[in-house]
Amino acid sequence: MKPRISVITIGVDDLERALEFYRDGLGLPTEGIVGEEFDNGAVAFFDLQHGLKLAIWKRQDIAQETKVAMGPPSPTEFTLGHNLNSKAEVDAVIAQAEQAGALITDPAHDTFWGGYSGHVQDPDGHLWEVVWNPAWGEVD
């Protein structure tokens, strides 16, 4: 079976605040919130790359649909990586994210493996690594 991961959904507490952060803070393209006409259906999708989207959905709605009790969020359960083309782009995205409400947990710095990265938390506490990996070449 060929892997076909097409959507990464993360739970948020405030959908409007999260939309503004991802749209304005990380610059991700979106058509905004859709599905508001359905109970527990409001969601926003962001285009990441061909065939891959990021979705934000209220944590309580995820719990309701999946029949899993909501637990306390933990920012160290996973990180998402935003790979860029240069140190300057990393610095610019981290500054833009901070302006939109991100908490910088690890300022951008040269890494032991030859790259450059920093970590930020979005307003819901999700961790993002903003990174330049010279071994990966130019990213779209």
Side-chain angles (χ1 to χ4, degrees):
M1 179 177 81
K2 182 179 178 180
R4 290 188 177 89
I5 297 170
S6 58
V7 179
I8 298 169
T9 303
I10 59 175
V12 300
D13 292 318
D14 182 328
L15 194 57
E16 288 284 340
R17 178 187 70 190
L19 171 69
E20 290 175 14
F21 175 79
Y22 285 103
R23 182 190 60 215
D24 303 335
L26 292 184
L28 302 181
T30 182
E31 293 181 15
I33 297 172
V34 298
E36 292 180 289
E37 68 273 23
F38 304 108
D39 290 339
N40 307 307
V43 63
F45 295 99
F46 302 87
D47 295 319
L48 299 181
Q49 59 199 46
H50 179 72
L52 181 61
K53 293 186 181 292
L54 174 70
I56 54 173
W57 197 16
K58 290 181 186 174
R59 292 179 70 240
Q60 65 194 27
D61 295 341
I62 292 172
Q64 188 275 333
E65 177 168 292
T66 62
K67 314 291 187 279
V68 174
M70 245 174 65
S74 171
T76 57
E77 290 176 2
F78 68 93
T79 67
L80 295 166
H82 187 5
N83 198 49
L84 299 163
N85 289 315
S86 68
K87 291 180 180 184
E89 285 185 8
V90 169
D91 290 336
V93 169
I94 287 178
Q96 184 176 334
E98 184 178 34
Q99 286 289 316
L103 171 66
I104 298 174
T105 64
D106 176 36
H109 61 280
D110 291 317
T111 65
F112 69 90
W113 46 267
Y116 186 74
S117 83
H119 291 84
V120 301
Q121 280 185 298
D122 73 10
D124 287 283
H126 301 295
L127 282 167
W128 282 82
E129 180 182 25
V130 183
V131 61
W132 167 65
N133 184 336
W136 288 358
E138 194 80 10
V139 294
D140 294 334

